[in-house]
Amino acid sequence: MRRGRRATIAACVFLAVAAAPAAALAQTVDELYASGVKARQAQNFDEAADLLRRALALKPDNADALVQLGFAELGRNDLPAAREAFSKALSLAPAYLDASFGMAQIEFRSGNLDAALPLAEKVSRAAPGNTDAAALVANIRKAQQASSKAKPAAATAGKPRLPRPDPVAGLMEEGRRLRASGELPEAEKAYRRALRLAPKNTDILVALGLVAGSQQKFDEAGHFFDQALAIEPGLLDARLGKVRLAIWQGDVPGALAMIDDVLGTAPENVEALGLDARISLLEQNYARAEQSFQRVLAIDPRNAEALVGIGDVRRARGDDGAARDAYRQALALEPGSRDIEQRLAAPPPRKWRFDLGSEVSDLTDGLGDWTDSSAGLAYRLTPRTTISGRTRVATRYGRTDVQIEGRIDQAFSPTVSAYALAAATPDADFLARYSIGAGASWQIMAPAKAFGPFSLNIDTRYDDFANAEITTISPWVQAYVLDGRLGLSARWVHAADDIGTRADGYVLRADLALTPGVNVFGGYADAPEISDGTLVPTRTVFGGISWDVTDPLTLRASLAHEQRPTFDRTIFGLGLTTRF
């Protein structure tokens, strides 16, 4: 009996051991592959080759792993090993364009230009948006031209010579590799060395413009693009470079005008369509953005950048689930992409905001204290529309008023927005019985490195008190400097009641970001205050701080001192905002 039981246990153990590797195997292959791709993208070619070979030991017919191994071996400059990997991939998947592109690079580096050109041209024709393939075609042709010029000289000398590798093409390839790995200063050095050898080479000038622009050297970038256009008017790459430069500088209208001009002459250019989509996304023109990204995918179905763009459009529209589906499709095409992984790691957008605040005022001359507390809840109905409600409880000299307010905020474009509100106080003692208000904001200058954004704003309000009706109009301007860290605003306040009393004043304020999570503000006001239906001239010094404790939670504190004709008032305030 015991022997039978032992045999049964042994059989179960055997079956469990036999069954377990099947589930673990696929996971191990996937993990090794993803780690290998990350290592290759980080230029750790030895580590990448080791990881990918381990993945292939578990699954030898994995064409994706073979292609990635080929590129890792290219990074190590082991051309025979790279050729073997790409050849195996093509035997498994003859239409695998990345494998053909890898073979083209091997033939080019080996000096077999006649074999390299048709391979590179095949990839370029099949994927018009593949800029690397287009650049390789151009470099091969230039090398062929240099080789044809070298042949007569070799024949005259009576000595056969092998064509030397084109140093310009080598430096261009080095610059492209460094730029792809994020080493922009080193990439710029490689391109400048190439430019010294070929001062009229427009490909080098465009590459330098892109690298300079990525480092926010905007004047230099524009100079390089203009040089390329002076040599070859209408050069598409240089025109697209100027579009990117306008985007980097925040000139969205200028970028849109230029991309419309480019699409007029190259309507099926994948890069131009992608830029058009990105500009439309900045303008919140989501329909046009998605249409352009879809046109890219119709031309190049494996374009991961377009899939990421579609995800961005869906996220901007508030559909986070659909956005994540697009990001996952893009990640399947570009495993290990840090940019895509960061998008997937981002938490779903928080549509609710809860605000809670309370102020206590100390009055001089033994007049006691005032309190003013509020609680508000806001909901982002759409990416452009937010609705909110607020309840305010205020006490003055032993009397209490409760006010209820509703508000709607609407963004009509990235630069123009407006709001409207209405408030009511049942059985009002000192607050307005009802109020209506509206305002608008117009950003007339986009954010830039040194200055901006700059906006013009206006607030208007009508308050109906038991003993008076007061209208307030307040236009103001706001500007940011120091990379947006310092905000400055100036407000003019004009108030008038229903019996002809008028009062004017101003408010000056500065906001400073000490750290990404800590902001302070301060200012001075000499403007009328509305107190129990009366316009009271008031001078105020105020300041405060806000602290983003976590992503969803912000704490606030403020202090102000008012000088009024009959008493002084010191105000202490605390508050918090949480988003969910």
Side-chain angles (χ1 to χ4, degrees), residues 297-312:
L297 287 174
I299 298 169
D300 181 10
R302 293 180 61 83
N303 193 304
E305 186 176 349
L307 284 167
V308 170
I310 288 174
D312 291 345

Side-chain angles (χ1 to χ4, degrees), residues 509-532:
R509 173 170 168 151
D511 292 78
L512 177 63
L514 296 178
T515 70
V518 178
N519 298 271
V520 296
F521 68 89
Y524 176 77
D526 187 352
E529 286 281 340
I530 303 174
S531 181
D532 204 0

Side-chain angles (χ1 to χ4, degrees), residues 375-406:
L377 187 64
Y379 176 69
R380 193 179 68 173
L381 193 62
T382 72
R384 293 189 176 191
T385 306
T386 300
I387 56 174
S388 58
R390 185 177 74 124
T391 300
R392 176 186 177 192
V393 180
T395 63
R396 305 282 191 275
Y397 307 120
R399 297 175 296 169
T400 300
D401 276 354
V402 178
Q403 187 178 73
I404 301 172
E405 178 184 294

Side-chain angles (χ1 to χ4, degrees), residues 49-112:
D50 177 63
L51 289 166
L52 292 164
R53 288 189 184 281
R54 287 165 58 192
L56 286 164
L58 297 172
K59 192 175 180 182
D61 60 347
N62 189 326
D64 291 329
L66 284 166
V67 168
Q68 292 296 329
L69 175 61
F71 285 121
E73 297 294 3
L74 274 178
R76 297 202 295 184
N77 206 31
D78 189 341
L79 300 187
R83 184 188 295 275
E84 181 184 1
F86 288 129
S87 296
K88 287 182 180 178
L90 287 170
S91 68
L92 294 169
Y96 206 141
L97 290 180
D98 287 345
S100 296
F101 179 65
M103 290 296 289
Q105 285 188 308
I106 291 171
E107 301 296 356
F108 176 57
R109 294 192 191 185
S110 302
N112 303 324

